[in-house]
């Protein structure tokens, strides 16, 4: 698909972009952009990223990325079919020269090989059945043990709650007994003061707790087909982390803080990545190469990502830090 790379390069030049400009806009590394223009697609992380990066490149320079892929992939399929036809004709000519006797000999050898393979598979069948039964037993035992442990935890929680209720009841009983001995007027004033103090303390605790929680919210009017801006409040001044995971398949992630790349790599399903965010930053950006399977959270606060389609999987998420706390 070298012609594809040349067509993209010419469109970039017509737009007046350099490779560095294109890297800044698409967040794709310069060495990958150069490999696309030169047709060296084996230097990219994989076939999925070849298609994703080409679509992103084409959209940036004003071309239809999916149409380009369909056009040049169709040419590759045609060339492949021509090569297969030539190879089959050559094989047919060689077999005809060998004669009927050689064909018969080859047929007998193939039949013997198939029979041998079937016999070997049939010989391993008892071991396969035993292994499957053992795996089922192990899974069953593990499930029973897990259910038993969950039941024990629930029982312990119930017991702890019951004890707490008893202690509270005893304290209430003691308080009532003490208030009967004092004068009714003093008791009324003391009770009113205690309730007011308790209500004020409880209200201040709830207000402090809710105001200190880190919050991530979308900034209205910033959504585009390939980008979304968020605002973070109650952001601690240090010790912050970004957690990246993939629900399925894999995704290519780039994290940029205050204009500098902090982390870049591939995240696969079942292997989440925790990234330390530098102290003192005012913003950071996450670029996902496969947004349809990407999940993000800041300090264990989940980020609700906008839905996207498979035709535009490369997404940029910008996080603006509104304020920092000393927590």
């Amino acid at each position: 698909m070298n012609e594809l790379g040349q067509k993209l390069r010419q469109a970039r030049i017509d737009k007046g972009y350099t490779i560095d400009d294109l890297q800044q806009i698409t967040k794709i590394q310069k060495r990958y952009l150069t490999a696309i223009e030169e047709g060296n697609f084996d230097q990219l992380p994989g076939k999925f990223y070849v298609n994703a990066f080409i679509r992103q490149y084409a959209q940036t320079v004003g071309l239809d990325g999916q149409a380009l892929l369909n056009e040049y992939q169709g040419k590759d399929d045609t060339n492949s079919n021509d090569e297969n036809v030539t190879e089959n004709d050559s094989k047919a000519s060689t077999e005809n020269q060998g004669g009927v006797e050689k064909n018969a000999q080859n047929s007998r050898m193939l039949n013997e090989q198939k029979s041998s393979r079937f016999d070997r598979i049939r010989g391993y069948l008892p071991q396969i059945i035993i292994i499957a039964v053992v795996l089922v037993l192990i899974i069953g035992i593990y499930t029973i043990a897990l259910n038993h442990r969950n039941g024990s935890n629930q029982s312990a929680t119930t017991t702890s709650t019951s004890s707490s209720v008893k202690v509270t009841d005893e304290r209430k009983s003691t308080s009532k007994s003490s208030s009967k001995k004092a004068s009714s007027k003093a008791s009324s004033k003391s009770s009113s003061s205690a309730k007011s103090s308790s209500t004020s303390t409880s209200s201040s605790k709830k207000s402090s707790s809710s105001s200190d929680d880190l919050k991530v919210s979308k900034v209205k009017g910033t959504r585009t087909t390939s980008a979304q801006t968020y605002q973070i409040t109650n952001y601690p001044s240090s010790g912050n982390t970004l957690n990246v995971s993939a629900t399925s398949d894999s995704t290519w992630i780039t994290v940029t803080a205050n204009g500098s790349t902090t982390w870049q790599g591939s995240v696969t399903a079942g292997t989440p990545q925790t990234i330390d965010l530098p102290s003192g930053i005012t913003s950071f950006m996450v670029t996902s190469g496969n947004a349809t399977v990407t999940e993000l959270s800041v300090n264990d606060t989940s980020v609700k990502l906008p839905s996207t389609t498979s035709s535009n999987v490369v997404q940029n998420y910008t996080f603006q830090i509104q304020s920092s706390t000393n927590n």
Side-chain angles (χ1 to χ4, degrees), residues 57 59 67 100-101 120 129 137 147 184 219 229 231 238 240 248-249 264-265 271 294 302-303:
Y57 187 128
Q59 290 174 2
V100 177
E101 183 177 353
R120 285 200 298 270
I129 294 174
L137 290 175
N147 291 335
S184 61
V219 177
T229 300
Q231 188 177 70
S238 62
N240 300 290
S248 62
D249 204 352
Q264 187 176 70
T271 310
T294 300
S302 180
V303 179

Side-chain angles (χ1 to χ4, degrees), residues 216-224 226-232 283-285 303-304 306 316-321:
V216 181
S217 58
K218 295 180 181 178
V219 177
K220 293 182 178 180
T222 60
R223 176 77 177 107
T224 66
S226 63
Q228 173 67 57
T229 300
Y230 295 85
Q231 188 177 70
I232 301 178
S283 66
F284 62 91
M285 184 171 68
V303 179
K304 186 176 181 181
N316 296 319
Y317 306 113
T318 301
F319 295 85
Q320 298 176 346
I321 300 172

Side-chain angles (χ1 to χ4, degrees), residues 5 37 72 80 84 116 119 128 138 143 162 172 177 181 221 233 267 289 316:
E37 289 187 353
Y72 288 101
S80 177
N84 290 334
S116 176
D119 291 339
I128 295 173
I138 291 174
T143 303
S162 299
K172 287 183 179 179
S177 178
K181 293 179 181 180
T233 55
V267 177
N316 296 319

